[in-house]
Amino acid sequence: MTDEGFCDWIAVKGEMILKTGKGDEYRTLKGSETLIIDAGGGTVLPGFIDSHFHVVQTAMNLQSVQMKDAGSWEGIGRKIRETEMEHPGKPIMGVRLEKERLKENRFPDRKVLDRFSENVPVWINCLDYQISMLNTYGLLYYKIPFRMEGVETDSNGAATGIFRGKANAMLRTNVLNRCSDDTRHKSVEQLMPRILRYGITTINAMEGGYMYSDRDAEFIHEYSGDFPVDITLFYQSMDMNKINAMGLNRVGGSMYLDGTMGARTAALTFEYADRPGEMGNLTIGQNELNEFLVSCYQRHCQTALYTIGDRAIGQALRAHEYAIEKTGISGLRHRLEHVELATKDQIRKAAELGIIFSMNPTYEKYWGAPGEMYQKRLGARYGTTNQYRMILDEGVMLCAGSDSDICEIDPMIGISAAVNHPVARHRITLQEALRMYTINGAYAIGEEDRKGSLKEGHLADIIIMNCDLETLPAEKLEDAKVKCTIKSGGVVYNELL
């Protein structure tokens, strides 16, 4: 992943890469206890870096009821009944529900959920976390004020059990706060083999803050060393005193400046094509954001702001301009997360300011094809999302993550999505896509001098693929698999031997 090309072999000693080279010179380095691994013609890469990953959320959701394939209200009910039979008396948590995949094309309200269970609290969260559903028992159990903004009510003023906005955020926080650290630890432990199977050796953990539990961030800060991958914490908080007290030098992740395209809450400068009159929402005022970034700059703290719509991206860039003007400080490698609808002028401004784009190519696989959600929301503006080719050509540093568990963990899905973007002019090369998940990801957390490339003196985070990616047809990239993962010189996943 450097400009030095390819090599034939790589030698590891302890935790570090000892040497790389061509030919058979490696034989002179071989000792009596040296382990030789033949890659068998498969591409060898630095360990993948996932630049946007909700670790605790993903781990906890793996223990929840998966609703993505429910298909209908009756399918939801079947899963609820089965779970209640397996775990009688326990609260039921359903995740990853998509309205568009339901036959009814509507989320179920409490009266619908009551048909399936009246004896335990049922909480269901949609795929992008923006909308929650409760049965009547759950309404009483989780104690959300019925008059709170975001609580949907019927014509009689009674709560329907569907929560959006602030009410949804409070509900999610209440649910997540009920989890013990022991539950968190066991759940993350169970997640780790899956992460290693996909060749991920470093994760940027987006934890705590609005819609999440601050305890998740505190847990990662305290226990990240217990797990076999490197976890870099981005605490989603604007409490800089807390950030300083924890000794952190970065903040953000899903620090929301706007919402999502799916929920039509991403802040646009134009109306949604399928909902005239709606343009999404900004969650913070310009002046407040300006002063927050000034504080971060003064403390030399890297920021990662959540921006999806062009209006939110513009707000973030104006705040960075203001902070640079006020402090004279630059070079902190500030990031914008997701950045789905950046305009050409915004991309050029980001390059000028040295802002990194941390993006999620898998979104295009999920929602970018003709007829899918992006086209429905944008109408004539379809084709302006995730413009990777322009972003790289304009000189913006681009890293990538899965946004797990909204999307699949596997980096090869994201790499394939970037190479095979549904809009041909936005496609990038295989090497450029790989760099997003390796050396660029290392740069985005200030670790390019020890990670992200196979280079002498770097940490031995190495993966072996099951094929030669350079000769694999582009449409087959998603099928490529990791056969071996080496973390800090130790083999932690292996299907080669």
Side-chain angles (χ1 to χ4, degrees):
M1 294 295 102
T2 66
D3 295 328
E4 298 168 17
F6 297 82
C7 57
D8 296 331
W9 54 265
I10 180 169
V12 173
K13 184 176 182 180
E15 295 186 348
M16 311 303 288
I17 295 174
L18 178 65
K19 199 171 184 181
T20 63
K22 296 183 179 295
D24 61 0
E25 182 189 356
Y26 71 91
R27 297 182 187 279
T28 65
L29 302 173
K30 182 177 178 294
S32 60
E33 297 182 356
T34 300
L35 171 66
I36 301 290
I37 299 178
D38 186 345
T43 297
V44 179
L45 295 166
F48 288 132
I49 298 172
D50 191 310
S51 294
H52 192 105
F53 197 112
H54 301 282
V55 175
V56 178
Q57 182 76 60
T58 298
M60 298 296 296
N61 282 357
L62 284 175
Q63 313 304 315
S64 303
V65 184
Q66 304 300 310
M67 294 291 184
K68 190 171 184 180
D69 61 348
S72 66
W73 290 351
E74 189 56 42
I76 294 170
R78 188 162 48 249
K79 288 174 179 281
I80 289 173
R81 292 188 186 108
E82 290 171 355
T83 304
E84 191 169 3
M85 289 180 64
E86 291 175 15
H87 306 284
K90 300 288 187 182
I92 295 173
M93 298 169 59
V95 297
R96 313 194 83 223
L97 183 65
E98 290 187 86
K99 182 181 70 174
E100 289 76 13
R101 290 177 179 263
L102 296 176
K103 180 179 68 176
E104 298 83 356
N105 198 33
R106 294 192 289 128
F107 287 124
D109 61 21
R110 66 181 175 88
K111 292 181 180 179
V112 173
L113 297 178
D114 286 348
R115 300 204 311 250
F116 310 127
S117 178
E118 293 182 310
N119 303 315
V120 297
V122 175
W123 168 65
I124 299 176
N125 206 200
C126 74
L127 179 66
D128 63 7
Y129 309 154
Q130 301 295 311
I131 300 172
S132 290
M133 294 132 265
L134 292 175
N135 65 352
T136 301
Y137 195 120
L139 280 174
L140 303 174
Y141 184 80
Y142 290 113
K143 298 180 174 62
I144 303 300
F146 291 170
R147 299 302 176 190
M148 187 175 185
E149 181 184 341
V151 176
E152 182 181 281
T153 58
D154 61 20
S155 57
N156 296 318
T160 66
I162 295 178
F163 294 75
R164 296 178 172 85
K166 292 180 179 179
N168 172 62
M170 176 179 282
L171 173 58
R172 280 179 46 83
T173 299
N174 285 358
V175 173
L176 297 173
N177 280 345
R178 290 171 180 264
C179 297
S180 68
D181 279 358
D182 183 61
T183 298
R184 286 182 174 87
H185 204 287
K186 288 178 180 177
S187 298
V188 175
E189 280 181 340
Q190 292 175 31
L191 171 66
M192 286 296 132
R194 178 179 298 205
I195 289 172
L196 295 171
R197 185 169 77 239
Y198 290 127
I200 298 169
T201 54
T202 297
I203 286 173
N204 293 182
M206 311 303 183
E207 311 292 331
Y210 183 78
M211 282 217 312
Y212 301 89
S213 169
D214 282 350
R215 186 56 204 159
D216 292 348
E218 294 160 1
F219 170 83
I220 291 296
H221 183 59
E222 294 171 23
Y223 295 104
S224 62
D226 292 357
F227 306 111
V229 301
D230 292 339
I231 303 178
T232 299
L233 173 62
F234 282 78
Y235 195 159
Q236 299 165 162
S237 172
M238 295 180 72
D239 185 346
M240 294 307 297
N241 290 330
K242 178 184 285 190
I243 297 299
N244 286 349
M246 294 173 68
L248 301 175
N249 62 355
R250 53 179 54 91
V251 63
S254 285
M255 186 175 288
Y256 294 94
L257 298 195
D258 65 345
T260 68
M261 295 269 282
R264 300 184 189 85
T265 50
L268 313 182
T269 58
F270 51 89
E271 297 178 351
Y272 282 94
D274 57 351
R275 193 69 63 79
E278 289 194 13
M279 301 171 65
N281 306 296
L282 293 171
T283 64
I284 185 173
Q286 186 72 60
N287 291 339
E288 185 181 356
L289 182 61
N290 289 353
E291 295 308 319
F292 172 69
L293 284 189
V294 167
S295 175
C296 292
Y297 274 69
Q298 290 171 336
R299 299 169 193 242
H300 291 265
C301 183
Q302 182 190 27
T303 62
L305 301 176
Y306 174 114
T307 59
I308 286 184
D310 61 335
R311 188 151 50 100
I313 296 165
Q315 182 190 48
L317 293 174
R318 287 191 295 274
H320 277 292
E321 278 193 292
Y322 178 86
I324 290 173
E325 180 182 341
K326 286 292 184 180
T327 66
I329 297 170
S330 60
L332 296 177
R333 304 189 185 184
H334 295 291
R335 300 166 36 153
L336 298 185
E337 306 296 311
H338 305 316
V339 212
E340 291 176 53
L341 273 171
T343 66
K344 188 170 186 176
D345 286 344
Q346 290 172 340
I347 292 167
R348 288 177 170 174
K349 177 58 67 174
E352 176 188 323
L353 297 174
I355 303 295
I356 298 166
F357 282 5
S358 172
M359 301 181 71
N360 307 85
T362 306
Y363 286 0
E364 288 295 335
K365 172 183 168 60
Y366 277 25
W367 303 306
E372 295 297 331
M373 187 264 287
Y374 281 159
Q375 187 170 49
K376 293 174 182 176
R377 298 291 185 270
L378 299 176
R381 289 182 172 84
Y382 170 69
T384 59
T385 53
N386 302 304
Q387 302 182 71
Y388 302 122
R389 178 75 276 146
M390 183 194 300
I391 290 166
L392 290 177
D393 288 349
E394 292 293 340
V396 174
M397 173 62 69
L398 178 56
C399 64
S402 61
D403 199 14
S404 179
D405 73 335
I406 289 177
C407 297
E408 302 299 324
I409 295 172
D410 187 357
M412 288 308 304
I413 296 177
I415 289 165
S416 174
V419 172
N420 298 292
H421 195 297
V423 179
R425 70 179 181 275
H426 301 327
R427 293 172 184 168
I428 59 177
T429 68
L430 172 62
Q431 284 294 310
E432 289 169 329
L434 290 171
R435 288 176 69 89
M436 289 165 62
Y437 287 87
T438 55
I439 188 64
N440 292 7
Y443 179 89
I445 52 174
E447 296 192 25
E448 74 277 11
D449 61 344
R450 60 190 295 268
K451 290 182 182 178
S453 58
L454 301 180
K455 191 173 181 180
E456 182 178 332
H458 281 213
L459 202 61
D461 291 353
I462 304 166
I463 59 176
I464 303 172
M465 304 301 298
N466 67 344
C467 59
D468 180 357
L469 295 180
E470 291 288 331
T471 62
L472 194 66
E475 64 271 15
K476 297 290 186 181
L477 282 171
E478 186 176 321
D479 299 327
K481 304 298 180 187
V482 173
K483 297 292 286 185
C484 181
T485 303
I486 298 168
K487 176 72 188 86
S488 300
V491 177
V492 290
Y493 170 74
N494 194 2
E495 287 192 352
L496 281 174
L497 302 178

